[in-house]
Amino acid sequence: MRWDQSHAGAPVFSAVVATVLAMSTLTPLIDSPRWLVLAFLAVMAVASVGWCLQRMTRSRWLVMLGQLVASSVVLGWLCAGTTLWWGLPTWTTGQRLIDQCRAAGAEVVAGTAPLAASPNLTCALVAVTLGLGIVVHLVAIGYGAPAATGLLLFIPVAAAAANTTGGLSWLSFAAPAGGWLLLLGRDTSSSLARWSTSPALALTPTGTPRSEDQADTGFAARSLSLAIGGIVAALTCAAIIPHLPTRYLLDGLAEGINGSGNGAQVGYSSTLDVGRSLASADSSEVFRYRTTAQSAVPLRVIVATSYEDGVWTRPTPTLGTTARSDVAASVQRSEQTVTVRANTLAAPALATPQPLVGADFKGAAWQIDQATADVYVETRPSDYATTYLALEITPALLRDGVDGIPGDDRLPSNRTVQQSLRLDLASADRIRALTAAVTRGTSNRYDAALAIQHWLRDEGGFSYSLELAAVIPGPTALDPISAFLDSRRGYCVQFASTMIMMARASGIPARMAIGFLPGIWQDGEYAVSSADAHSWPELYFPGAGWVRFEPTPGGNVGSPPAWSVPAATAAPTTAPGPSPSVNPSGSGQPTQPGDQGVEPVDGEGVTEVDVPWVERARLWLTDPWHVALTLLTLVLTGSLILPSTAAIRHRRGHPHGGSDAEREWQRLMSDLADLGVTAPERGTVRQTANHIAAEERLPETTTNSLLTLVDAVERDRYARPTGGQGDRSGELRLAARHVWLTVARGKTWSRRLRAFLAPSVGRLWWREHAHRVTGRGQPDRRPEGGGRWRR
Amino acid sequence: MAEGLMRGAIDTRVGRAAVSRHDADMDEVRDVAARLARAMETIIEGKPAVIRTTITALLAGGHLLIEDVPGVGKTMLAKTLARAIASAVRRIQFTPDLLPSDITGVSVFNPESRQFEFRPGAVFANVVVCDEINRASPKVQSALLESMEEGQVTVDGQTYMLPQPFMVMATQNPLEMEGTYPLPEAQRDRFLARISMGYPAPAAEMAMLDSHSGRSPLDELVPVTDAQTVARLVLAVQSVYTSPALRHYVVELVTASRANSALRLGASPRAALHVVRAARAHAALEGRDYALPEDVQRVSPAVLRHRLVLSPDAVIARRTTDEVIVELLRSTSVPAAPH
């Protein structure tokens, strides 16, 4: 019974470790990891109580009840200290805890990652951790099914994955997986320990009795190897498969607010109030579409350029049948189509991918704004098809312009661009100062834009929330951007507006785009609902035109476009080295796009010499691929330790100092034992050989090889020692190899792999040395046939 | 069970791999033994294991105690062996009034030469068949056993060497114990091996009814070898090598028998000696010039079973000596390498 052997504390505390490791995947969602420390201490305390209880009672339910009581006490101490009565929780404590958890739930639903670690949230997280810890304890130790805890431990991982922008890092899966393996490993080793204490079977040298314990051990070992295999496969997949568009497992917690959804038509007003909370999100479907492109792009409805008193308005359109293209001819492009159906968006607005090059509106009268390429229709088309240009926009293009010369003075002087550089008067000073601070150290517009986006997404401490903070009476009352900068809470409109203003402050024309995110992938098409409505900034770069950026953080908004994510190794915004001023010769060179890709690499090659190798190694290791490569190398090297030990030991020969035949025989026996072939313990050489030949159904030729070896061993051991007997080591080695190959061919590949990776000779050597180092008694060396062992 | 172990212990493949590289002596031993066995099998049908043990005892220079119920062919076995060798064979029917001088011989005064002349007794032969040895008085038994041990006879202060080879095949009937003088343990110890004939298989018994109904089949048996050859082979067998590891194994085995709780009396040092001698002969029968643990395992039941005395507890538990021997063989580790 497993309950008994769990008296050793190790399984209990491995359950604690596994629980806390699983919960630790939530840390990126909360802005401070302090709650995890508290949760760890609390779970540790409760697990200790459970451990003590299970030494007193055999009922797993009593143990769980005791742990629940302990949890309430611990939670009371941590979160509701004032309501305790002599250190014990009271009715009020329970009320307080429930209230706190409710408040935390509201915070989770309203906000998005990273959430502020409020006392309510901390309390709720500790409570969740405690609950998980108790259930894991019950399942892993009470019911003796640690493998089943894998599902429980997966819940926090799934929650974290669902709410992390751009998906969870594959490395953060490793921690809970390791915890789970720890639990499984404990189980396996305790099964093994039990097996070794079971009474030995007396005098049954032939055959391999399959006792229940052995079957149990085999099962435990197999489940552990399965688990390891699964986790390695999961990590390998995560590391190898390129980053896919984010799919939300639980649709993101912040989408929990579901409005009435009365199916009314969704329309777009021509204005956008930045100061309004978005309290009622509607999740009714707006349209569905399919696309020929590999990744779906947001569909734009309107563009707004002027901002005044917290409201975005679009310019008066110059309607026509063609729109101006700002994209240089040398930019790589491909034409993709988007086919929309079941469109419910009210006329005249229409969602289209940009930059648009062609459309079929199925008979509906349409016009296009020549400046912005917004499409206006007279009647709502239910289905329509559009063709747009999928541009290959590269950081090099945005940084250096289409012809390699940063086009600071190449901004077109049309009306749209002029309007797109105008700052809001109310917040202008503050925005300028802020922008100067944020973009310090950047040398071009693109890097400045990256810095701004990075600041809004990660560094600035902003959190996503559909509810805006209450407007504080004062000078910023009518200035939503300043209010947003104060409260640091908002949704896409506030983020986009702020980025636009900051971009304008650093000289980049910027405008507000409003449209829809790709929505949910269903039945081969994207289903876009009104909850997918989104706004984003578009920044103008000479040559590339209006380029989308994504400053809004959080799980349920768009992932940033590829060009707006700085590459990990290039890190142009942080590395001060290779800037155009350092390498003046570059400006005089014939400027061709191909050279642009080469030059920065050369520049880095020069600067790398100055960096100390430790720093270089650290930089090198920042790439997950390099980490994976290093880990792989380490694992491969590590896994070769045992085989190489065995090989060295075989070469040194048998400790008994036997001859070639003896050495080959011992080696063959140990190799066969690794393959799971066992021989009767006290048998003679020939009996062992005959047993193996019969058990493994060796063919005639292999049996003869085996007997050749047996004959040599027998002569070596029992025949009269003679001097010149010729060197037969080659022949014997071939014979032994033949036998081993034949036997190995009949085994499963996993058995062969295990025999290769963990040969018993190598294991024995390391165990002996470990014992020698630790000096803990004598290793349990099995006699190799020569010991005096009496029952 | 013992027979099963013995059969399992020795594989016929042993010889095939080993033959080609052995000196002529052992090949000769093997060939002669095979001829002998074939010849004996024409008379003693369906008992190859018994015949093999008999030949092993012969080549080891030991004596054989055949213990079984009347009429299973004990005497026939002894006579067959003697006949197949073409040697001098004597048969003594032991009775309570038998005298030691009937065995050893007597000095008789010759009036013509005015000297005492020695008239050799029944023991002066190559194969001596002693029927119902337990019916003679202990004095007669001991006279025989002395000559068995020493290979010589001393009468009136004069020592006479017995011919070589010299083998005593004594039979005894375990059922009729009335008026018998059972051999004491010390005397039984001098026999190299004890075998039981056992009843023949039905097919062998039918064949026996056919062949033995007329005149004695022994008359048709043509000797396949002679006493000189056998004596030479006995010498050759003594040169079979026993490695220190093997001797260690034998010592372990007899030591284990002395410590075994099921036994009142374990194996004596002479038993160990006999095991090694029998193992040598067995190895030679296989054509090998060195003995293997398998040889020891194969001969041990026959060599040890009449020397071990079960403890009262084991008797009550209805255990047999053969069972205990199998247990000893299984629980004693075979030495892997020279120590």
Side-chain angles (χ1 to χ4, degrees), chain A residues 203 205 656 662 682-684 686-687 690 700 703-704 707 711 714-715 717-721 784-789, chain B residues 9 11 13-14 17 21-22 239 241 243 245 248 252 290-294 297 330-337 339:
Chain A
L203 291 173
H656 291 206
E662 190 70 45
R682 295 189 166 80
T684 63
R686 193 165 294 272
Q687 283 161 1
N690 287 339
E700 179 84 19
T703 311
N704 284 342
L707 290 175
D711 192 48
E714 277 181 348
R715 291 185 150 270
R717 288 188 186 175
Y718 304 114
R720 195 187 306 275
E784 286 165 280
R788 294 174 182 79
W789 286 69
Chain B
D11 196 274
R13 285 176 287 207
V14 174
R21 293 183 298 275
H22 286 283
S239 73
Y241 177 73
S243 68
H248 179 80
E252 289 269 304
Y290 54 92
L292 290 180
E294 269 95 348
Q297 291 179 347
R330 281 196 173 156
S331 59
T332 308
S333 303
V334 176
H339 287 266

Side-chain angles (χ1 to χ4, degrees), chain B residues 181-203:
Chain B
Y181 305 91
L183 289 177
E185 273 83 37
Q187 301 202 347
R188 273 194 302 199
D189 205 21
R190 301 189 183 190
F191 286 97
L192 180 101
R194 192 198 83 187
I195 52 174
S196 296
M197 296 292 290
Y199 291 112

Side-chain angles (χ1 to χ4, degrees), chain A residues 479-500:
Chain A
D479 178 11
I481 290 180
S482 298
F484 172 68
L485 289 175
D486 287 335
S487 70
R488 311 234 154 172
R489 272 172 72 182
Y491 51 97
C492 54
V493 176
Q494 285 78 31
F495 280 99
S497 304
T498 311
M499 176 151 183
I500 291 165

